[in-house]
């Protein structure tokens, strides 16, 4: 019985890997040695570029929306070399999201450059799912950043090279290079200095 269970697990793993590889084929540019695990989902692959040695964990969604309802957008998602994205992350763009080289992203992270509507008084009577998608600006994550578990990075944010975003932080404004930020909203906890 254990042998059969082991064979079933192995076959399931191979099938899920193949499905994930099919998802990668949707991407306009995929670097060498990119690796994904089960249930990676890609939307708008023609607007997504992924660098060398990328890793995407289970349950990740990478979405470049060029249309929603009757509105058109020009999304761009660029993921650098050696970026590691852990499980159940959601990256969604209607504008632009750039992730630099050597970035580590923990599980359950949301990175978005848009929201459902602009939260104006005029939209209060419209259900969020029926509102036009709205972007306050692109998201840029610099090189060698570490985005910890359960982080939310909101539209219009630039995170400087070498910074760490602590677990469960909500990033609503720019983060300088070489700092640790945390909290809701995220604020600088300490500066990282070279030894």
């Amino acid at each position: 019985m254990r042998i059969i269970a082991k064979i079933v697990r192995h076959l399931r793993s191979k099938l899920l890997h193949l499905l994930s590889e099919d998802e990668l084929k949707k991407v306009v540019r995929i670097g060498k040695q990119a690796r994904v695990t089960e249930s990676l989902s890609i939307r708008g692959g023609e607007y997504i570029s992924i660098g060398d040695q990328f890793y995407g964990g289970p349950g990740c969604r990478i979405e470049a929306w060029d249309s929603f309802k009757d509105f058109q957008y020009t999304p761009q998602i660029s993921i650098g070399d050696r970026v590691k994205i852990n499980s159940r992350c959601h990256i969604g763009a209607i504008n632009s999201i750039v992730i630099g080289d050597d970035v580590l992203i923990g599980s359950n992270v949301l990175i978005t450059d848009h929201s459902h509507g602009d939260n104006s008084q005029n939209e209060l009577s419209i259900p969020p799912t029926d509102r036009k998608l709205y972007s306050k600006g692109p998201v840029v994550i610099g090189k060698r950043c570490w985005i910890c578990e359960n982080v939310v990075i909101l539209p219009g944010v630039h995170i400087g090279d070498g910074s760490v975003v602590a677990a469960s932080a909500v990033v609503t404004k720019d983060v300088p290079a070489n700092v640790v930020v945390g909290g809701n909203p995220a604020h600088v906890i300490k500066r990282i200095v070279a030894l």
Side-chain angles (χ1 to χ4, degrees), residues 1-12:
M1 195 64 158
R2 282 189 235 162
I3 293 172
I4 293 172
K6 187 175 181 179
I7 291 170
V8 169
R9 280 194 308 275
H10 177 74
L11 291 174
R12 180 178 180 272

Side-chain angles (χ1 to χ4, degrees), residues 39-187:
S39 65
L40 175 83
S41 172
I42 293 176
R43 177 188 179 96
E46 64 270 29
Y47 307 105
I48 300 170
S49 172
I50 296 175
D52 295 339
Q53 299 174 25
F54 167 80
Y55 170 81
C60 287
R61 294 167 38 206
I62 303 173
E63 301 173 332
W65 291 84
D66 61 358
S67 65
F68 182 78
K69 301 297 179 179
D70 292 323
F71 301 100
Q72 304 300 310
Y73 306 97
T74 54
Q76 199 67 41
I77 298 175
S78 176
I79 299 173
D81 294 336
R82 297 169 303 280
V83 171
K84 309 295 184 241
I85 301 176
N86 283 292
S87 57
R88 295 172 310 281
C89 291
H90 181 193
I91 299 170
I94 64 168
N95 184 342
S96 174
I97 295 176
V98 176
I99 300 173
D101 295 341
D102 302 302
V103 171
L104 174 61
I105 300 175
S107 299
N108 305 310
V109 170
L110 170 64
I111 302 169
T112 184
D113 70 358
H114 64 280
S115 60
H116 286 265
D118 61 6
N119 297 318
S120 67
Q121 188 74 24
N122 298 340
E123 292 189 329
L124 290 178
S125 63
I126 303 169
T129 56
D130 293 337
R131 297 176 189 163
K132 178 180 178 181
L133 299 178
Y134 172 77
S135 178
K136 288 183 179 179
V139 172
V140 178
I141 299 172
K143 297 176 181 178
R144 300 174 313 282
C145 290
W146 177 17
I147 312 300
C148 296
E149 304 271 326
N150 302 309
V151 166
V152 176
I153 298 174
L154 294 174
V157 167
H158 291 210
I159 298 174
D161 293 349
S163 286
V164 176
V165 181
S168 300
V170 178
V171 184
T172 60
K173 60 185 178 186
D174 289 354
V175 173
N178 303 312
V179 298
V180 176
V181 298
N184 180 5
H187 59 280

